[in-house]
Amino acid sequence: MVQEPQRIPWYEKIPHPVVILFIIIIFVTILTYIIPAGSFEREIVDGRSRVVPGTYKSLPSKPVHLLNMFKALPLGFKTAAEIIFAVLAGGIMFGILEKTRMIENVIGTTIRKLGLERRFLIVVLVTYIYGMLGVAVGYENNIAMVPIAAVLSLALGGDLILAAGMSVGAITVGFGLSPINPYTVGIGHQIAEMPIFSGAMIRSILCFTGLTLLALFNVRYFKKIIKDPSKSLGKGLDVEGLSLSQSIDDYRISRNNYLVLFIFLGGLAFMLFGIFTYEWYINEISAVFIMIAVASGIVAGLNGNEISETAFKSISLAAPGAFMVGYATSIKVLLEMGEIADTICYRLADWLTFLPSELAAVSMSAAQSFINLFIPSGSGQALATLPIMIPVGDLLGLTRQTTILAFQIGDGVTNLFNPTLGGLIAMLALCRVPLDRWIRFIFPLALMILVVSWVVLNITVFIHWGPV
């Protein structure tokens, strides 16, 4: 009897992240030969450059030749230098904190007191906590919190994929669907001349629903790998320095651990104060990470050599993720070389005008998802597309609140698996999860959240959702 060849599941065929991004690089390069160059005029409003509707004009084509395609790689690293250093700084900080044993002892003691029998509840609560950080604090601002989930997940008997689900996934969903997201909803309301953060009730319900689906998804995965460890997507990933080194019953928090914890929490509070008061961003966040690392090392009694060796070891672990951030940013550079990003926005908006209102909102959201691949920055995408999409929505009979929600869904949900989003790559790197394995894990959930979001979007069309 001849045996049929074993079928390989689709997710096993996902190539390495470096290959995925290189395919996208080649694809974008080819697009510069197919899509005409073009641009909108831009104006400065409140210190931000945004598109002026109705000013699109065609430009002479600027196809990217082979040398410039590869030249985009170092230019991408130059453009993403700040985020790259933030990844390395976050890695150094966590490496020092791990060396002091503060995180391990705090997590081990917490689980000892709560009990492993409550581990599924812990997964749910942690998912919501990280989600609320995404809602209230931002995206890259939470990068320092991601490795903590890795230690916690392994201590509970999970893997690094579960850790990424609880932290990276929750931060992304919370930030992407946040009712108070200043980079998408806030800018959108400014462009549409609407009350800032209006319509918060529907957005809050959608955000809570997305986080609930993620929490249940995480618990389902956790139960599956407990029952059958061979189904873990985290098999073979490096967990050195993340796993608990002793029995749960043996964990205690020392006086020194409390001092290091105080420095860590105090540093985070100082960082958040700067973010909300002085609009600090990546460079200031990186500086705070290094300050926390140095202060923690000194308080823990580490000498200069120990701090230096720990820093270099941490850099070696964070380097692959830092590389991927710069590598992904080269796609943005290629779009700028070929000047086709504005043409893509213009053509998609023009296509939407032919659709009935029942299909227009979901199609607009799908179009934003496609554009998100090329303009992964939420604020950048808002400033580039909403001045075009809002008038299109007006023509189609959509309320401006619905148009902004369509944009928010298209940008926010697809960020869960967007290979060109530097912040996603950076946080996955600190969780030591490769992009291909992450996509295998999160893609089904992203589709579920997208479908639920589009149902809500169609409801807003039906009720003519207004500005309040």
Side-chain angles (χ1 to χ4, degrees), residues 30-334:
I30 293 172
L31 287 182
T32 64
Y33 286 84
I34 300 171
I35 298 175
S39 69
F40 288 94
E41 292 180 11
R42 283 168 166 77
E43 59 184 354
I44 303 298
V45 179
D46 296 329
R48 297 175 181 268
S49 174
R50 77 180 188 189
V51 161
V52 179
T55 61
Y56 175 80
K57 60 181 179 181
S58 297
L59 298 173
S61 293
K62 296 182 179 179
V64 177
H65 55 70
L66 187 63
L67 176 62
N68 278 348
M69 185 184 84
F70 284 94
K71 183 180 175 182
L73 297 176
L75 292 177
F77 279 80
K78 180 180 178 181
T79 302
E82 294 179 355
I83 298 180
I84 290 172
F85 186 80
V87 174
L88 298 178
I92 291 170
M93 180 187 70
F94 183 76
I96 298 294
L97 293 175
E98 182 270 326
K99 182 73 173 179
T100 68
R101 292 179 59 83
M102 181 274 289
I103 292 178
E104 180 181 350
N105 286 339
V106 168
I107 288 177
T109 302
T110 301
I111 293 175
R112 176 177 60 82
K113 291 183 177 181
L114 291 176
L116 277 174
E117 64 273 10
R118 294 189 178 92
R119 54 187 173 184
F120 299 126
L121 175 61
I122 293 173
V123 169
V124 172
L125 293 177
V126 170
T127 300
Y128 280 122
I129 290 170
Y130 275 99
M132 290 304 102
L133 288 174
V135 169
V137 177
Y139 200 59
E140 288 89 350
N141 302 340
N142 285 304
I143 192 172
M145 305 301 292
V146 170
I148 297 174
V151 179
L152 177 62
S153 176
L154 295 175
L156 291 173
D159 60 10
L160 294 181
I161 302 295
L162 176 63
M166 291 190 294
S167 56
V168 182
I171 291 170
T172 304
V173 172
F175 178 75
L177 298 179
S178 170
I180 55 172
N181 187 321
Y183 305 104
T184 54
V185 179
I187 290 177
H189 282 152
Q190 285 181 329
I191 294 172
E193 299 177 339
M194 296 172 62
I196 298 297
F197 303 137
S198 56
M201 179 60 72
I202 287 181
R203 288 189 175 86
S204 297
I205 293 172
L206 180 58
C207 184
F208 179 77
T209 301
L211 288 173
T212 300
L213 287 173
L214 175 60
L216 296 175
F217 190 78
N218 285 337
V219 170
R220 178 177 175 272
Y221 174 77
F222 192 14
K223 289 180 177 179
K224 182 174 72 172
I225 63 175
I226 289 175
K227 183 177 180 180
D228 185 358
S230 67
K231 293 184 178 180
S232 167
L233 294 174
K235 287 185 297 183
L237 297 182
D238 181 16
V239 297
E240 182 182 356
L242 300 176
S243 301
L244 298 188
S245 58
Q246 57 191 33
S247 170
I248 289 291
D249 295 332
D250 296 331
Y251 278 99
R252 300 291 185 277
I253 303 175
S254 68
R255 177 177 175 275
N256 192 274
N257 292 154
Y258 278 116
L259 289 175
V260 175
L261 178 62
F262 175 78
I263 290 172
F264 176 62
L265 295 178
L268 292 183
F270 176 61
M271 181 187 75
L272 292 176
F273 174 78
I275 288 170
F276 290 116
T277 306
Y278 299 108
E279 297 184 353
W280 286 0
Y281 194 45
I282 295 296
N283 288 335
E284 292 82 4
I285 291 171
S286 297
V288 173
F289 287 171
I290 298 300
M291 291 167 64
I292 292 173
V294 172
S296 298
I298 292 172
V299 167
L302 303 179
N303 60 41
N305 286 339
E306 288 176 314
I307 293 175
S308 300
E309 290 171 0
T310 302
F312 273 111
K313 181 179 179 182
S314 302
I315 288 172
S316 70
L317 294 172
F323 171 83
M324 291 298 291
V325 171
Y327 189 42
T329 307
S330 63
I331 296 168
K332 176 177 179 290
V333 174
L334 285 170

